[in-house]
Amino acid sequence: MKKILCIILSMLVICASFAGCGGKSESKDKGKKNETAEVSDKMPTVLNTAEYTLYQNIFFNETAADYDGTATSKEGTFATIYDAYNDVTRYYVWGYNDQTKCCDWQWELKIDDTSNLPTNGSEVFVKGTYEVNESALDRFWIIDPEITVKTEFKGRDFDVDMKSMDNTLERVQIANIVNKKEAFEGKTICGYGRMLNENTLEDAYYDDSWTIELSGDFEVPAFGTLVEIEGTVKDGKIVDCKISPNTQY
């Protein structure tokens, strides 16, 4: 899993040189809501070991070319990250391997029409086609996605909603915030992780993965405690931070 994380993070730098590249075909993406879809104030928990195994096989065993051009469908949680290296918002459907939630899978979606997107954190069903493409963050994504909302998450009022991301996507977003701090200056943010010390948040599951500094008028939880945070980004740190007990991760 750590190798997969490193692959995705390394693409942040590599993809910068491909910022102007286009896809092979125009997206026919849709964000249609199922008429029977309920609205929920709780994010879904999508578990799929077979999806995780496929994800590992494509990226860890480097078999993406074998799937290029083939149809696929996914059911998972919808999320977006901001790739400041390329000044582009990226879209994902993701889920967990199992209830431990330390191992996850995520598929990037090539979405051109953003007029009717699901709320981050919504449970969605996606149909599309795999494509190997240098413009994708990890050089592989799903094109022409047809997105159906199964359960609409009510959403959160934050510029950067890392609570709607799995562990891998949050790590990528943190890397952007820390290394491209000017792009996130003044943005409101929420997320999750473990308390490393009195003013530092770290990866929820992995040691020596990522850290970000916190400041604010909060009671410091016990080190190692899994928490959720809210605040504002300033100079690559999270200020005016509020810390609460973990409720989902």
Side-chain angles (χ1 to χ4, degrees):
M1 183 61 191
K2 290 186 177 180
K3 182 173 180 180
I4 300 299
L5 292 169
C6 291
I7 290 172
I8 292 177
L9 283 171
S10 65
M11 289 304 102
L12 287 168
V13 177
I14 294 172
C15 284
S17 62
F18 300 107
C21 295
K24 294 179 184 176
S25 61
E26 296 207 1
S27 175
K28 301 175 182 177
D29 45 89
K30 302 175 183 177
K32 55 186 180 182
K33 185 186 301 182
N34 189 323
E35 293 299 324
T36 61
E38 63 180 74
V39 179
S40 176
D41 61 358
K42 185 177 181 180
M43 276 179 48
T45 299
V46 179
L47 308 177
N48 193 323
T49 297
E51 200 69 57
Y52 175 71
T53 301
L54 175 63
Y55 175 81
Q56 288 270 318
N57 191 40
I58 286 177
F59 294 106
F60 189 82
N61 294 326
E62 301 179 353
T63 62
D66 296 340
Y67 295 87
D68 191 22
T70 62
T72 185
S73 62
K74 308 293 179 186
E75 183 174 331
T77 304
F78 183 79
T80 62
I81 67 171
Y82 180 61
D83 174 6
Y85 287 84
N86 294 306
D87 189 23
V88 64
T89 299
R90 297 188 182 275
Y91 308 91
Y92 289 87
V93 56
W94 64 267
Y96 298 109
N97 177 38
D98 55 33
Q99 278 289 359
T100 63
K101 298 183 179 179
C102 62
C103 294
D104 46 49
W105 48 266
Q106 48 279 309
W107 304 100
E108 185 175 355
L109 309 176
K110 184 182 184 296
I111 294 179
D112 294 330
D113 181 4
T114 61
S115 61
N116 194 24
L117 292 176
T119 305
N120 283 341
S122 296
E123 185 174 359
V124 298
F125 179 77
V126 179
K127 293 177 64 176
T129 303
Y130 288 128
E131 181 183 72
V132 175
N133 193 298
E134 297 290 349
S135 293
L137 186 58
D138 50 8
R139 299 182 179 181
F140 190 80
W141 56 15
I142 295 173
I143 62 170
D144 300 335
E146 295 184 4
I147 303 171
T148 301
V149 178
K150 298 191 65 178
T151 302
E152 181 184 3
F153 181 60
K154 70 175 185 178
R156 303 183 182 91
D157 190 20
F158 291 89
D159 298 322
V160 183
D161 179 9
M162 298 194 302
K163 289 183 184 180
S164 295
M165 304 174 189
D166 64 19
N167 187 62
T168 299
L169 295 179
E170 186 182 36
R171 179 177 180 179
V172 173
Q173 192 65 91
I174 289 287
N176 274 266
I177 292 169
V178 172
N179 296 312
K180 290 287 186 178
K181 58 187 70 175
E182 65 283 351
F184 298 89
E185 189 71 12
K187 293 188 179 297
T188 57
I189 189 171
C190 65
Y192 61 99
R194 289 177 296 161
M195 291 301 297
L196 177 62
N197 55 43
E198 65 275 5
N199 62 356
T200 309
L201 188 72
E202 70 171 343
D203 190 298
Y205 304 106
Y206 296 95
D207 296 334
D208 304 318
S209 170
W210 59 261
T211 62
I212 192 166
E213 291 186 41
L214 312 176
S215 67
D217 185 17
F218 54 79
E219 183 176 344
V220 179
F223 299 166
T225 301
L226 192 60
V227 298
E228 298 179 16
I229 59 94
E230 299 178 359
T232 303
V233 180
K234 183 176 181 180
D235 194 30
K237 306 176 180 63
I238 301 177
V239 302
D240 300 325
C241 187
K242 297 179 181 179
I243 297 178
S244 58
N246 161 60
T247 59
Q248 170 142 354
Y249 306 96

